[in-house]
Amino acid sequence: MQSTSLHYEWPAILHDPSGRRQSKPRSKGRTMVLDKGIGLHAFEDLLTTAGEYIDILKFGFGTSPLYPLPVIRSKIDLAVKNGITVIPGGTLLETAVRLDVVPGFLRQILALGFTGIEVSDGTINLDRGLRNDLIRDAKGLGLQVYTEYGKKLFGSRINVDDFAATAEQDLACGAEMVTVEGRESGIGVGLFDERGDCRSDDLSHILNAVPNLDRILWEAPLKEQQVALIKSLGPDVHLGNVAPHDVVTLESMRRGLRSDTFELQQVPFNDYMI
């Protein structure tokens, strides 16, 4: 008996009803995923399922030295092969600054195959001169630099004028993007209040004060925060601290494939529902 196989495809419009999503390497609508220690097999599954939708992967906080070297090398290699920029958490660099081992930190970053770093001062204080040096030194080594603005202390708010000035100087020194601190919780810090709701007045002030919004990445780990920023800035907003299990969900919202952002669909409404 002759076997037959049928090849089915989704109608093209169903992949992206918004008609706006870029393929990688993207300059718009980048997604940064926070890896807090998932295993190698789960990591492989993540990239198999959602690698096309991940632009930046951050090994959270100071976790990078805690991995067995073969494991972290394998994760970095897999991510790079999937066109993903891989960076350690900013807390690790802050620790290296505090302990005066930045040259050793940078050597190991390069040896492991990381393709970028995060320069932050969420826990320590970095003077402007040192911040400039860190950005320029890492850039000179061929690393992409993602800086971060904001403190991790609960209740910390954004000083809009200071943020605008910091972002301008970071970008002038060679930073790829500037991240707005939101922590992994998204609660009581930066743009978000103690319930995790977006402070709309603060967001409006930032949008009016910061000229390079296309190079700002917003840490927004919670779904409602992601929805609020997509609705305010559009599906091309850069979003970070996304949990691995939320990557496909976020991509569906960017494309208008979830009811929360259904209005993003760039197709005429029919007179009837199917």
Side-chain angles (χ1 to χ4, degrees):
M1 178 182 292
Q2 185 178 5
S3 64
T4 60
S5 61
L6 298 177
H7 179 64
Y8 295 101
E9 291 186 356
W10 295 106
I13 189 63
L14 291 182
H15 287 277
D16 181 15
S18 77
R20 296 177 59 173
R21 289 297 283 154
Q22 295 179 337
S23 298
K24 292 201 298 187
R26 274 181 285 270
S27 60
K28 299 178 180 179
R30 295 179 185 174
T31 294
M32 182 268 278
V33 169
L34 182 66
D35 179 349
K36 299 190 292 182
I38 63 174
L40 185 55
H41 294 305
F43 190 80
E44 292 172 341
D45 288 343
L46 170 66
L47 297 189
T48 298
T49 303
E52 176 58 30
Y53 313 127
I54 302 171
D55 303 281
I56 308 155
L57 186 127
K58 178 166 68 174
F59 289 92
F61 337 118
T63 58
S64 296
L66 304 183
Y67 288 94
L69 288 178
V71 173
I72 194 168
R73 283 196 178 107
S74 294
K75 293 178 81 169
I76 292 170
D77 184 57
L78 284 168
V80 171
K81 286 179 178 177
N82 279 268
I84 298 168
T85 300
V86 193
I87 64 176
T91 302
L92 187 59
L93 177 56
E94 293 182 41
T95 302
V97 169
R98 184 170 182 265
L99 300 178
D100 195 24
V101 291
V102 171
F105 164 85
L106 291 173
R107 283 194 300 270
Q108 183 68 346
I109 289 301
L110 294 170
L112 289 172
F114 280 100
T115 53
I117 67 167
E118 183 176 68
V119 175
S120 64
D121 59 357
T123 306
I124 67 172
N125 292 316
L126 277 182
D127 65 59
R128 186 67 243 183
L130 180 54
R131 189 176 177 103
N132 292 348
D133 290 342
L134 290 169
I135 297 170
R136 290 171 177 152
D137 289 349
K139 184 78 173 176
L141 293 171
L143 296 166
Q144 291 191 28
V145 181
Y146 295 82
T147 63
E148 185 174 70
Y149 177 87
K151 295 298 183 182
K152 296 183 182 298
L153 186 66
F154 186 87
S156 299
R157 300 283 293 269
I158 298 172
N159 181 314
V160 176
D161 291 337
D162 185 55
F163 171 54
T166 299
E168 181 179 10
Q169 292 180 70
D170 286 355
L171 295 172
C173 287
E176 177 76 11
M177 302 180 76
V178 181
T179 302
V180 179
E181 174 69 69
R183 302 210 68 179
E184 61 167 313
S185 67
I187 296 174
V189 66
L191 190 62
F192 309 118
D193 65 19
E194 65 279 359
R195 297 182 303 275
D197 294 332
C198 183
R199 294 186 173 103
S200 56
D201 288 346
D202 287 2
L203 178 59
S204 295
H205 292 157
I206 292 171
L207 299 186
N208 290 328
V210 179
N212 296 303
L213 290 172
D214 59 333
R215 297 179 68 184
I216 302 300
L217 187 149
W218 311 81
E219 289 186 347
L222 304 181
K223 176 218 167 189
E224 293 304 326
Q225 297 168 352
Q226 296 162 7
V227 171
L229 288 167
I230 289 172
K231 288 188 172 184
S232 296
L233 286 89
D236 291 333
V237 61
H238 306 299
L239 297 173
N241 279 14
V242 177
H245 59 266
D246 287 335
V247 175
V248 175
T249 298
L250 171 57
E251 190 64 29
S252 73
M253 293 191 295
R254 289 188 185 278
R255 298 176 184 228
L257 287 168
R258 185 164 176 161
S259 62
D260 307 86
T261 57
F262 204 69
E263 67 273 15
L264 294 175
Q265 296 185 8
Q266 300 297 308
V267 294
F269 287 102
N270 292 325
D271 293 332
Y272 57 90
M273 297 294 290
I274 297 176

